[in-house]
Amino acid sequence: MQMKFITEPLNLYLVAAIILYFWVCRIVNYVWLRPRRLERWLRSQGFKGNPYRLWYGDLKDVAKMTMDVQSKTINLEDDIDPYALPFHHHIVQKYGKRCYMWNGAKPRIFVMDPVWIREILQKHEVFVKLYTNPLNRQLFTGLFVHEGESWAKKRRILNSAFTIAKLKDMISVMHISCMELVEKWESMFSNKGSLEIDVWPYFSNLSADVISRTAFGSNYEQGQKVFLLHKEQARLVSILIRSTYIPGLRFLPTKTNKRMNEINREVRDILIGIIKRREEEMERARELNVHMKINDLLGILLETNYEEQKNTNGNDVGMTTEEVIEECKLFYFAGQDATSTLLVWTIVLLSIHQNWQVQAREEVLEVFGKRKPDFDGLLQLKKIHMILHEVLRLYTSVPLVTRITREKVKLGNVALP
C-alpha cells in the first residue's frame, strides 16, 4: 500500500514533466528555432530583410511607423505609399523589391513581379488565404474568407443575385441618397459666396446610406445602425492586430474583448431580425401567389437562395441564415469604406485638375440634362468612367493581398518551404 501511495504521485509528476517539456520545445521552436531556419533560407534565396527579433519580429516597428505617419498631415503632391503602408515602403526602399518582413515569428516575402502575382492567384489551391489571426474574422467574413467548394457555391449564388437586371432598380434608391447630400450642401451655402467642407465624413455617411437602402430596403435605418457598429468594430480590431497575436488572449474578459463581443451579438441580432421578417413576408407572398417586387440586395439574395434550394430538392447547396448574415456584414466592410475613399480621392483629384472637372460636368449635363440618372445614361459617361479608373490606379482600395503556402512549391526561380 505504501509503494502504491509513493509511485502514483511520481507517475503524475512524470506525465506533467513530459507534457511541460513538449510544450516548451514547441514554443522554443515556434519563437526561435524555426524563424532562424527560415531566415537562413530566405537569405540563401537572395531575399533581404531585418534580422529576426524574438516574438515580435517587425510588428513594433510597423505599429510605431503607422502611428507616426497618421499623426502628420500630407500635402496633395506627396507620395501616398509612405503614408498608406509606411513600414512596407520603408523595407522596399531599404532592401529592394526582393525583400521580406517579420510578422511576429513568421516571415512574409514581398511579391511585386506581375508574373509571380498571376501565378499565385491562379494556383488558389496551393496559395491559400491567410487568416492566422482569429480577430480578422470579426471583419472579414462571407465569401471573402471561403475556399474551394464552399467559395464556389457562395460565388454561384451571389453571381445570380448581382446581375445587371436586378441591380438596375437600385439606381433610383441611390439617387435619393445622393440628392439628400447635395441638398444638405446647398443649404450650407446659403448667403455665402464660398465655403470649405470636409467631404470625408459626408461621403462616408453617403456610402453607408446607399448600402443600407440598397441592401435592406425599408429596413435601411436598422442597416445604418449595423454600419455604425461595424465601424466601431473595425477600429477596435485595427488596434489589436497591430500587436502579436497570442492564442487565447481574445477570450480574456478585457474591456476591448467585452465590447467586441457585444458588437458581434448586437449586429447578429439586428440582421437576424431583418432576415426573419423578410423571409416571413416572402413566404406569405408565395402562399397567396402574389408577386412581391424585390429591389434590395437582401431580398434578391434570399430569393436566389430559395430558388437554389428548391431546384436541388433542398440539398446542401443553399446558404444558411448564418451565411446570409456573413454576406450582409461583407456588404458593409467591402463596400462602404472602399466606395467612400474612392469618392474622396476623386473629388481631390478633380479639384487639382480642374480641366477634367469641367469636362466631367459637361458630359453629365450633356447626357442627363435635368432628368434623373438612369442605367442606360450611366453607360454613356465615358469620361467619368476614365476618371474613376485613373483614381483607382493611383489610390487603390486594396494595397496588398496576402497568401500562404502550406507545402513546398516553386515560384519562378524560388523554392518556397
Side-chain angles (χ1 to χ4, degrees), residues 30-32 35 39 49-63 87 91 100-108 242-245:
Y30 179 82
V31 302
W32 185 252
E39 185 173 17
N50 292 335
Y52 172 66
R53 286 166 286 181
L54 185 64
W55 192 262
Y56 290 100
D58 290 321
L59 287 179
K60 287 187 176 180
D61 291 344
V62 172
F87 184 80
I91 287 291
Y100 64 89
M101 65 172 283
W102 290 100
N103 189 58
K106 295 183 178 180
R108 288 185 179 179
R242 289 177 190 167
S243 59
T244 300
Y245 172 69

Side-chain angles (χ1 to χ4, degrees), residues 100-118:
Y100 64 89
M101 65 172 283
W102 290 100
N103 189 58
K106 295 183 178 180
R108 288 185 179 179
I109 65 171
F110 288 26
V111 178
M112 287 171 278
D113 185 332
V115 176
W116 285 19
I117 292 172
R118 182 169 63 249

Side-chain angles (χ1 to χ4, degrees), residues 286-298:
R286 293 189 196 102
E287 291 175 355
L288 298 172
N289 199 24
V290 175
H291 175 69
M292 183 177 177
K293 186 177 180 181
I294 300 173
N295 58 1
D296 61 84
L297 294 176
L298 176 61

Side-chain angles (χ1 to χ4, degrees), residues 108-168:
R108 288 185 179 179
I109 65 171
F110 288 26
V111 178
M112 287 171 278
D113 185 332
V115 176
W116 285 19
I117 292 172
R118 182 169 63 249
E119 185 177 349
I120 290 170
L121 296 179
Q122 286 177 343
K123 295 181 178 178
H124 52 80
E125 72 284 353
V126 177
F127 298 96
V128 298
K129 297 173 183 176
L130 173 63
Y131 296 103
T132 54
N133 190 334
L135 291 170
N136 287 331
R137 289 190 178 268
Q138 303 278 8
L139 297 175
F140 308 118
T141 57
L143 185 69
F144 197 85
V145 302
H146 289 280
E147 299 272 14
E149 292 183 7
S150 176
W151 179 88
K153 180 187 78 172
K154 289 176 174 57
R155 178 64 182 267
R156 184 178 65 253
I157 294 173
L158 291 171
N159 273 353
S160 55
F162 285 83
T163 60
I164 294 297
K166 292 179 179 178
L167 295 176
K168 278 184 179 181

